[in-house]
Amino acid sequence: LFCATGVVHAAMPLSLWYNAPAKDWEKEALPIGNGRIGAMIMGGVRQDIIQFNDKTFWEGSPTMRGAYQNFGNVRIEFEASDEVADYRRDLDLQQALASVSYRQDGVRFRREYLASYPDQVMAVRLSADKKNKLSFKVCLEGAHPGKEQVMVQGNTLCLSGKLTLLSYASHLTLQAEGGEVSVGKNCITVRDASAATIVWGAATSYDPKQPGYVAKDGQWRTLMAADVQSAIQKGYAQLKKNHVQDYRQLFDRMVWEIDGYDTVNMPTDQLFADYMNGHFHPQVDILHFQYGRYLMISCSRDGLDLPSNLQGLWNNRNDPPWECDLHSNINVQMNYWPAEVTNLSECHWPLINYIYNESQLQPSWSKMAALCGARGWTMRTQNNIFGYSDWNWNRPANAWYCMHLWEKYLYAEDMDCLRRVAYPVMKSATEFWMDRMVKDKNGKWVAPEEWSPEHGPWEDGLPYAQQLITDLFANTMKASELLDTDADFRASVREKFMSLDKGLAIGSWGQLREWKIADDDPKDTHRHLSHLIALYPDDAISVFKDTAYAEAVRKSLEARADVGMGWSLTWKVALRARLLDGNRAHSLLARAMRVVHGEPGNWGIYTNLLNALPYQIDGNFGAVAGVAEMLIQSHHDEIHLLPALPDVWAAGKVKGIRARGGFEVDVEWKDKLPTTAVVKSSLNHKCRIRSRIPLRVSGCAYECKSDSEGYYIITFEARKNKAYKLKRTSMGA
């Protein structure tokens, strides 16, 4: 069916490419998105089905869980046969463009797909290298028969419908170059054109700031229709230019290269299979990492106060696994671990604003706190987008969510954001635990009746809860000090903090205890690692400050073993990186990137590189965060260069990676040691660098001293909007 011609396609530096259409949506289709709307590209020859979503398209309400829904399909049908030559389907990560090309009956056909953030539409450009050879029919199809209808308005197909709470609509139109265009009931037919552009939009009445989560009027529908008409009038060239420029100003901020290896030119599925068979290819590590950054830009953009769900925003079912919800006991948090460090700070805002809206503007989370006899806010594990929360209580999630608001502050030190957004949320979460906690027999404040997700007994003073509450109290007190506000409240928090069980204890076989009362089972390989939060994503444990606790984490990780679902494996990557074990971290990363095809009990990635079995996007984002921790760490007021490089990354460079304190870092290395680095500061801030070798700082006074761990600590006063170059030196030079 797909003829081999001997033509070698040179793979783009950062692209996924394949020599056949996708047959399976979950395993093979390629995602595009603009943060709110997105689609999966199958790339068929006789029929191309483009399944699309809107992240707000939920069945459910504040009193009914419901599920994230499939919006529908754009179906393109061609009259020609399936037989083609030189078929290629790809996803260009550097431009956020998917494409399909092939040769058929002496004509080269091409399709290009995009989802534009600035123009808020999706589009397909169809073209042929000979005039008047393009004929097709495009149909707009909903996924909820009986609840929706398709109407024709001029040359535009208009889909509309109503779920339990939300109304929704999608408009599709096209512009052909040459040929004839006719419009039917739910399809548009094009005959003998030279090229054509299909544009469509989608929207719902969801408004996270309104009571009941529904917009007061139909302005959302008017805006969507106007976006579609505006985009088609601009023409594809302008639409594409706007899209690529907008996307690249985010994606291009960070570059990562590994030196010393030849580039291998083969389709992505074959490349990853070869890697899995023991042949190291650096572009696998880099492609998977940058694909994760691409996915974050594609499913989480500023302007929509709704975080990425279990599948980001891509979903082709009305009954997806776990309802494709906002899971509060690791998954939503992991989705955003890479945002700040990989220079995608704007992509963090949907989660930050969601937390603010739900905890400060909407009533559901505060009502749940009241059920627990406390002020503030909290939640259960499973959450829809309307404030509804069910399944087991996950009260410490309020502290875990607040960690993201504090991280947002630490990376940019934006006092206005701290004052308006972060501190009110953190204060009210702290009030919950001030009311909720009880004293144990030793006089320590503990959280009553908590668990270690998603297993084991419920106990008072569980380490998972205690570690998170410790972090919350410490950060809230610090925020109060920085803002010079609520002195009496701060004092009351400090009083309890001094007698707070910090959740750190070493058990009978040297492990970091997961339960306060029950003994840990050294044969337990459960996927969750909740009692290790103190090492990562928190920083309460450090190999440089708490050797005993760090070794206890190592014992716990050994017991958990190098197994688990994608998100569990990638969490272990970050934990191993914090333990400075680069080779073990990379081994776990390689396991997480193992290609699977749906075999029960096997986890890894599908051939489209999405986290597998079932598809959950958190594993993709966790891998990005883990790699970042191997390249740079910036907790404890210092920037640790190349803390956990594996042997296979012995030489390379990274540009544009971010560090807490308003810093952006470029670093080149050889033999796993830095050769040069550039530190750019957005603030007036003291800079403290940790390095395996001494470094000289150009252009300012600095100090370089060795410490007891065999590292060199370089310190200097950085000035706002200045860049500082560091080079290898010898002590005393």
Side-chain angles (χ1 to χ4, degrees):
L1 200 62
F2 297 95
C3 305
T5 64
V7 175
V8 176
H9 296 289
M12 297 184 69
L14 285 175
S15 69
L16 285 63
W17 68 279
Y18 308 84
N19 54 21
K23 295 180 180 179
D24 185 283
W25 180 95
E26 183 177 36
K27 301 178 179 68
E28 299 174 347
L30 296 174
I32 60 171
N34 78 347
R36 178 182 63 85
I37 53 177
M40 291 287 267
I41 309 305
M42 302 290 285
V45 173
R46 179 175 287 182
Q47 177 176 260
D48 192 6
I49 299 174
I50 307 166
Q51 184 275 325
F52 67 96
N53 294 100
D54 180 310
K55 195 159 61 170
T56 68
F57 192 48
W58 264 77
E59 183 67 283
S61 72
T63 58
M64 182 184 78
R65 186 179 183 196
Y68 184 46
Q69 302 292 288
N70 172 12
F71 210 116
N73 298 324
V74 172
R75 184 186 300 271
I76 308 174
E77 298 178 351
F78 302 89
E79 295 179 356
S81 70
D82 281 337
E83 286 197 16
V84 299
D86 299 343
Y87 181 95
R88 179 184 171 105
R89 175 172 56 98
D90 71 22
L91 177 62
D92 179 355
L93 302 184
Q94 292 174 298
Q95 299 190 89
L97 296 170
S99 67
V100 167
S101 63
Y102 53 86
R103 191 162 47 83
Q104 186 178 57
D105 298 329
V107 180
R108 167 66 66 179
F109 292 96
R110 178 175 171 81
R111 288 173 235 146
E112 191 168 77
Y113 313 75
L114 61 81
S116 170
Y117 177 75
D119 288 299
Q120 287 296 306
V121 296
M122 293 171 280
V124 184
R125 172 71 170 176
L126 302 93
S127 60
D129 67 355
K130 294 183 180 179
K131 290 185 177 181
N132 308 122
K133 293 295 185 180
L134 187 63
S135 297
F136 63 90
K137 179 171 70 174
V138 57
C139 305
L140 179 63
E141 304 170 337
H144 295 79
K147 296 183 179 180
E148 59 199 9
Q149 60 179 346
V150 177
M151 299 179 64
V152 177
Q153 295 179 3
N155 66 340
T156 300
L157 304 177
C158 304
L159 168 71
S160 62
K162 178 78 163 59
L163 300 178
T164 300
L165 191 64
L166 298 180
S167 299
Y168 60 95
S170 175
H171 285 195
L172 179 148
T173 190
L174 67 75
Q175 186 176 71
E177 297 175 20
E180 297 180 357
V181 177
S182 59
V183 182
K185 183 178 180 182
N186 69 335
C187 297
I188 303 174
T189 300
V190 176
R191 292 194 177 277
D192 303 326
S194 299
T197 300
I198 302 169
V199 172
W200 75 103
T204 78
S205 58
Y206 178 74
D207 188 335
K209 291 185 173 69
Q210 291 295 328
Y213 297 89
V214 178
K216 292 181 179 179
D217 53 38
Q219 187 68 13
W220 61 273
R221 191 191 305 266
T222 303
L223 287 173
M224 183 272 296
D227 286 337
V228 171
Q229 292 304 315
S230 175
I232 202 71
Q233 289 169 12
K234 288 177 182 177
Y236 184 75
Q238 187 63 47
L239 195 64
K240 178 179 176 179
K241 180 180 179 181
N242 294 348
H243 163 68
V244 173
Q245 286 182 344
D246 169 77
Y247 170 79
R248 293 196 68 167
Q249 62 87 21
L250 286 170
F251 185 80
D252 288 354
R253 291 175 184 172
M254 185 176 172
V255 176
W256 176 34
E257 298 176 8
I258 301 170
D259 299 335
Y261 300 89
D262 294 330
T263 299
V264 177
N265 181 28
M266 60 177 68
T268 301
D269 50 344
Q270 297 176 29
L271 178 69
F272 275 72
D274 198 51
Y275 184 100
M276 185 175 65
N277 289 330
H279 301 103
F280 177 71
H281 303 302
Q283 66 258 50
V284 167
D285 292 358
I286 294 168
L287 189 62
H288 189 259
F289 174 84
Q290 292 287 23
Y291 183 55
R293 293 183 70 242
Y294 163 84
L295 291 171
M296 174 161 285
I297 298 168
S298 300
C299 70
S300 186
R301 292 294 299 270
D302 195 9
L304 177 68
D305 297 349
L306 191 61
S308 305
N309 58 43
L310 283 177
Q311 294 181 190
L313 65 77
W314 299 278
N315 165 47
N316 69 336
R317 294 171 52 175
N318 294 331
D319 60 343
W322 299 285
E323 287 71 51
C324 220
D325 75 343
L326 303 175
H327 242 61
S328 71
N329 64 8
I330 177 61
N331 312 93
V332 171
Q333 295 92 323
M334 181 177 280
N335 282 358
Y336 289 90
W337 284 354
E340 300 293 337
V341 66
T342 69
N343 220 330
L344 297 176
S345 179
E346 296 92 329
C347 297
H348 207 172
W349 279 113
L351 174 63
I352 302 298
N353 290 336
Y354 163 75
I355 296 168
Y356 179 85
N357 292 341
E358 292 297 329
S359 66
Q360 305 300 300
L361 303 182
Q362 298 289 359
S364 296
W365 288 1
S366 58
K367 287 180 179 179
M368 280 183 272
L371 290 175
C372 300
R375 297 169 294 167
W377 58 279
T378 192
M379 71 193 68
R380 291 183 170 91
T381 301
Q382 301 180 148
N383 299 271
N384 72 10
I385 68 170
F386 309 109
Y388 179 83
S389 191
D390 66 11
W391 199 51
N392 282 321
W393 281 105
N394 187 28
R395 288 172 284 249
N398 62 4
W400 201 342
Y401 278 8
C402 284
M403 193 181 292
H404 280 268
L405 282 84
W406 185 242
E407 286 288 288
K408 188 72 177 167
Y409 167 76
L410 289 178
Y411 272 90
E413 298 192 3
D414 182 342
M415 293 295 289
D416 182 60
C417 174
L418 184 66
R419 180 180 296 105
R420 291 186 303 100
V421 180
Y423 180 67
V425 175
M426 295 163 66
K427 180 182 177 182
S428 57
T430 299
E431 287 173 336
F432 174 83
W433 290 109
M434 292 286 283
D435 293 351
R436 171 78 179 163
M437 288 191 301
V438 298
K439 279 193 173 182
D440 68 7
K441 62 182 180 181
N442 297 317
K444 295 288 187 180
W445 289 105
V446 297
E449 279 299 298
E450 296 297 342
W451 73 331
S452 190
E454 297 169 356
H455 68 312
W458 291 70
E459 295 182 348
D460 293 355
L462 208 76
Y464 163 66
Q466 299 303 134
Q467 291 173 20
L468 286 169
I469 296 166
T470 299
D471 179 77
L472 173 66
F473 278 22
N475 297 340
T476 303
M477 289 188 292
K478 180 64 174 176
S480 172
E481 291 172 0
L482 289 167
L483 296 170
D484 191 21
T485 188
D486 293 333
D488 291 343
F489 172 72
R490 182 167 70 246
S492 66
V493 175
R494 179 167 284 111
E495 182 180 358
K496 277 196 173 179
F497 183 81
M498 297 304 293
S499 299
L500 179 66
D501 181 333
K502 304 302 191 294
L504 301 177
I506 297 175
S508 59
W509 42 278
Q511 83 284 12
L512 194 71
R513 290 190 65 95
E514 187 166 8
W515 286 276
K516 186 177 178 67
I517 301 168
D519 201 12
D520 298 336
D521 180 359
K523 297 181 180 179
D524 180 8
T525 58
H526 195 271
R527 60 193 175 275
H528 277 268
L529 309 160
S530 306
H531 59 308
L532 308 184
I533 282 175
L535 179 66
Y536 183 90
D538 198 7
D539 60 4
I541 295 174
S542 166
V543 293
F544 299 116
K545 295 186 177 182
D546 312 287
T547 304
Y549 287 137
E551 289 305 310
V553 170
R554 202 183 304 272
K555 283 276 188 180
S556 293
L557 278 175
E558 289 296 331
R560 278 296 204 262
D562 293 354
V563 298
M565 304 173 77
W567 59 261
S568 181
L569 283 173
T570 56
W571 192 353
K572 291 171 184 175
V573 172
L575 288 163
R576 288 290 179 181
R578 284 281 172 97
L579 294 174
L580 312 183
D581 189 348
N583 285 330
R584 190 68 170 270
H586 187 267
S587 173
L588 287 158
L589 178 67
R591 283 176 177 266
M593 297 191 300
R594 180 177 57 182
V595 177
V596 298
H597 301 283
E599 307 91 339
N602 286 330
W603 294 296
I605 56 174
Y606 294 124
T607 55
N608 59 8
L609 309 192
L610 291 175
N611 183 61
L613 219 60
Y615 154 46
Q616 279 183 216
I617 206 166
D618 41 31
N620 290 96
F621 294 138
V624 177
V627 167
E629 289 297 312
M630 297 163 75
L631 296 171
I632 194 171
Q633 295 177 21
S634 62
H635 43 289
H636 296 298
D637 298 318
E638 68 178 26
I639 301 171
H640 189 172
L641 300 178
L642 313 177
L645 288 183
D647 293 341
V648 291
W649 300 351
K653 61 180 69 70
V654 63
K655 295 182 179 181
I657 197 165
R658 293 182 73 222
R660 295 168 181 86
F663 297 108
E664 185 175 305
V665 180
D666 305 342
V667 59
E668 297 186 24
W669 65 91
K670 187 177 181 180
D671 300 324
K672 298 172 62 174
L673 298 173
T675 55
T676 63
V678 176
V679 177
K680 305 164 193 173
S681 181
S682 64
L683 304 166
N684 293 325
H685 205 293
K686 184 176 183 178
C687 185
R688 174 184 165 99
I689 305 287
R690 178 179 290 272
S691 170
R692 273 291 185 188
I693 59 173
L695 299 170
R696 180 178 70 251
V697 185
S698 299
C700 72
Y702 71 97
E703 184 177 70
C704 181
K705 292 183 177 180
S706 60
D707 70 0
S708 59
E709 304 292 334
Y711 286 86
Y712 292 89
I713 308 300
I714 302 99
T715 56
F716 59 94
E717 292 294 332
R719 292 290 172 253
K720 184 176 181 179
N721 298 328
K722 297 290 186 181
Y724 300 87
K725 191 167 185 178
L726 289 73
K727 288 186 176 182
R728 283 191 184 187
T729 185
S730 58
M731 288 301 291

